[in-house]
Amino acid sequence: MQTHIRATLAAHIEVIGSLERLIPDIERLAQRAAQCLAGGGRIFWAGNGGSAADCQHLAAEMVGRYQRERSGLASVALTTDTSILTSVGNDFGFGAIFARQVEALCRPGDLLIGLSTSGNSANVLAAMRCAAELGVYRVGMAGRDGGRLLQETDLCLVVPTDNTARTQEAHILIGHIICDLVETQLAGDSR
């Protein structure tokens, strides 16, 4: 059992270490997110399963706080309203659950972040296509080779692993870094 634990920790450390090559893109996303919020825009999040939970987590960090006392930041997880998810899923199909919300809620100047460990989640891709039509800046967070999310986004942060759990761990770390940098830019460095 300890061998398995050590192997899991080693794999985690290796993936997290590989994120160093994403530093310029993480910085770019943080700057874009801060500009979006400072200009009255909102950050929307979409993802399935564990990624849906990460969307909720990161939206909560922005609306509440990450580490600094500050005003709430406009951020919405499109994964949380069960009435919308089930009615849209029932009437239009599961592939439309995020796109329909993007159509209804997003405006130019907003930011949409889609999490997909494979980069091929059909409903996240549909949301990105809808966001493109609206002039919304689109960011992907993926694993593996980035999948089709690479072609459907303005910026895609690809965690270089095929392991879903390691990808999700990296996504939440990237999200926390974004929250920290946005707070620093918008609220100063006081804690």
Side-chain angles (χ1 to χ4, degrees), residues 76-93 96-102 104-105:
V76 177
L78 300 177
T79 59
T80 59
D81 190 320
T82 55
S83 294
I84 291 173
L85 295 171
T86 57
S87 68
V88 172
N90 185 63
D91 295 348
F92 300 98
I97 62 170
F98 300 133
R100 190 67 170 192
Q101 292 182 79
V102 167
L105 301 172

Side-chain angles (χ1 to χ4, degrees), residues 41-42 44 101-111 131 134-137:
R42 297 152 309 165
F44 293 90
Q101 292 182 79
V102 167
E103 176 186 30
L105 301 172
C106 290
R107 301 291 174 257
D110 288 340
L111 176 74
L134 295 170
V136 172
Y137 192 80

Side-chain angles (χ1 to χ4, degrees), residues 144-167:
R144 300 182 186 171
D145 63 359
R148 294 191 313 266
L149 204 52
L150 278 170
Q151 287 75 46
E152 298 288 349
T153 55
D154 300 298
L155 174 65
C156 193
L157 285 73
V158 180
V159 177
T161 182
D162 292 339
N163 185 296
T164 298
R166 302 298 81 80
T167 301

Side-chain angles (χ1 to χ4, degrees), residues 43-47 55 58-59 62 75-79 112-113 115 141:
I43 299 174
F44 293 90
W45 305 81
C55 290
L58 295 167
M62 293 203 159
S75 189
V76 177
L78 300 177
T79 59
L112 173 63
I113 303 174
L115 281 66
M141 292 173 62

